[in-house]
Amino acid sequence: MKVIKVLIVDDEVKARNVLRHLIEAHLPNVGEVRQAGSVDEALEVLDHYSPDIVFLDVEMPYRNGFDFLRSVRDPQFDVIFTTAFNQYAVQAIRFSALDYLLKPVDPEELIQAVDRHVQQSAGEPHSRELYRNLVENVGKEDIARFRIAVPSTEGVQFFMVADILRLEAEGSYTRIVLTNRKPFVASRTLKHFEEMLADFPFIRTHKSHLVNQAHITGMTAGRDHVILSDDSRIEISRRKKDEVMKLLGLRS
C-alpha cells in the first residue's frame, strides 16, 4: 500500500485540526500530515516537503486557494479543495474536473476523494492542465464563459457549454456530442453532468438523454423526438413529455 503524504492549507486552526483527525481516523494509508495557515506558509512548507495531496481551503484572507495554485508553476501533487458552500467556486472547480469537499467534511466523501487519488498518478500532465483551466475560469466574471475540462481515454477534452449538442448515457459513462469535433466518452455518469449543467438550459428528454435547449430546432410530428441543429433526433420518453413541452413553451 502506498503511503501518502498530506498538506492541509486552511486559515482556521479548528478546521485544520478537524480534517487532520478525520484523515488519521479513516485513512490508514496516510503516513504524514503537515499544516499551513496561509498561502505564504504553505509555499514555505513546499520548499522542504513534497506532499502527494494538498487539501486546500478556497476562502482565506489576503491570498485564497486559487492564488496558491497561481503560485505553484508545476504542481507535483493532487489538490482536493475544501470549502464552505460557495457556488461560484464550486462550479469553477467542477468545470475543471477537480475534487472538492464541502465543509463540514463528510468522512465517506473524504475517503472517496483520496481513493480517486490512489487510482491515478499524482501530478500527472493532465492534472496540471486542469489546474491551469481552473485558474483561467476563476478569472472570469460569468460562469457561462467557463471552459469545461473532461478527462477521457483520449486525453483531456476542453470545450464551452455552448459547444455541447447533447449528452447520452452509456452505462456509468457518458457520450458527449459537440458541435465542432467528434464525440467522445467521459468516465462520469449522465447524472454528474446534469447536476454540473443545472444552471444552463439543458433538458432531460429521456433517462438516457440530456440535450442543449439552444440547439433544439424543432420536433417530429408525433412530438416524440426533438430535432437538433445537426439534424439528429432525440427521443422524448412518455414520462418526460409534459416536462419537455413546458420547458419549450409548448402545450402537450
Side-chain angles (χ1 to χ4, degrees), residues 73 125 127-137 147:
R73 290 189 176 183
S127 296
R128 293 193 285 276
E129 292 181 56
L130 301 182
Y131 299 141
R132 283 196 292 269
N133 188 62
L134 172 61
V135 169
E136 290 178 9
N137 280 346
R147 187 172 65 153

Side-chain angles (χ1 to χ4, degrees), residues 92-176:
I93 293 166
R94 294 188 78 181
F95 267 43
S96 299
L98 296 167
D99 267 316
Y100 69 94
L101 298 169
L102 291 178
K103 297 178 180 178
V105 173
D106 177 83
E108 187 58 38
E109 292 179 359
L110 171 65
I111 293 168
Q112 291 173 2
V114 173
D115 281 348
R116 282 190 289 272
H117 159 81
V118 172
Q119 292 166 14
Q120 64 186 21
S121 298
E124 59 188 19
H126 87 258
S127 296
R128 293 193 285 276
E129 292 181 56
L130 301 182
Y131 299 141
R132 283 196 292 269
N133 188 62
L134 172 61
V135 169
E136 290 178 9
N137 280 346
V138 296
K140 299 171 182 175
E141 296 180 357
D142 184 357
I143 63 173
R145 296 175 59 205
F146 284 178
R147 187 172 65 153
I148 300 176
V150 178
S152 74
T153 54
E154 302 173 16
V156 181
Q157 308 285 332
F158 294 98
F159 51 91
M160 306 298 289
V161 172
D163 296 335
I164 304 172
L165 275 168
R166 61 187 180 89
L167 304 96
E168 181 178 353
E170 293 189 356
S172 58
Y173 295 85
T174 300
R175 184 170 181 263
I176 300 178

Side-chain angles (χ1 to χ4, degrees), residues 4 8 11 16 30 67 78 86 109 118 143 176 228 245:
I4 298 171
I8 300 171
D11 63 299
R16 295 200 304 269
V30 173
D67 293 323
D78 284 339
N86 177 324
E109 292 179 359
V118 172
I143 63 173
I176 300 178
L228 302 186
M245 295 298 107

Side-chain angles (χ1 to χ4, degrees), residues 4 9 40 46 85 87 123 132 146 169 171 182 189 202 209 223 229 234 237 245-246:
I4 298 171
V9 184
D40 290 340
L46 291 181
F85 192 74
Q87 179 60 33
R132 283 196 292 269
F146 284 178
K182 67 178 183 179
T189 64
F202 281 75
H209 297 288
R223 293 192 170 187
S229 56
I234 307 302
S237 68
M245 295 298 107
K246 182 178 179 180

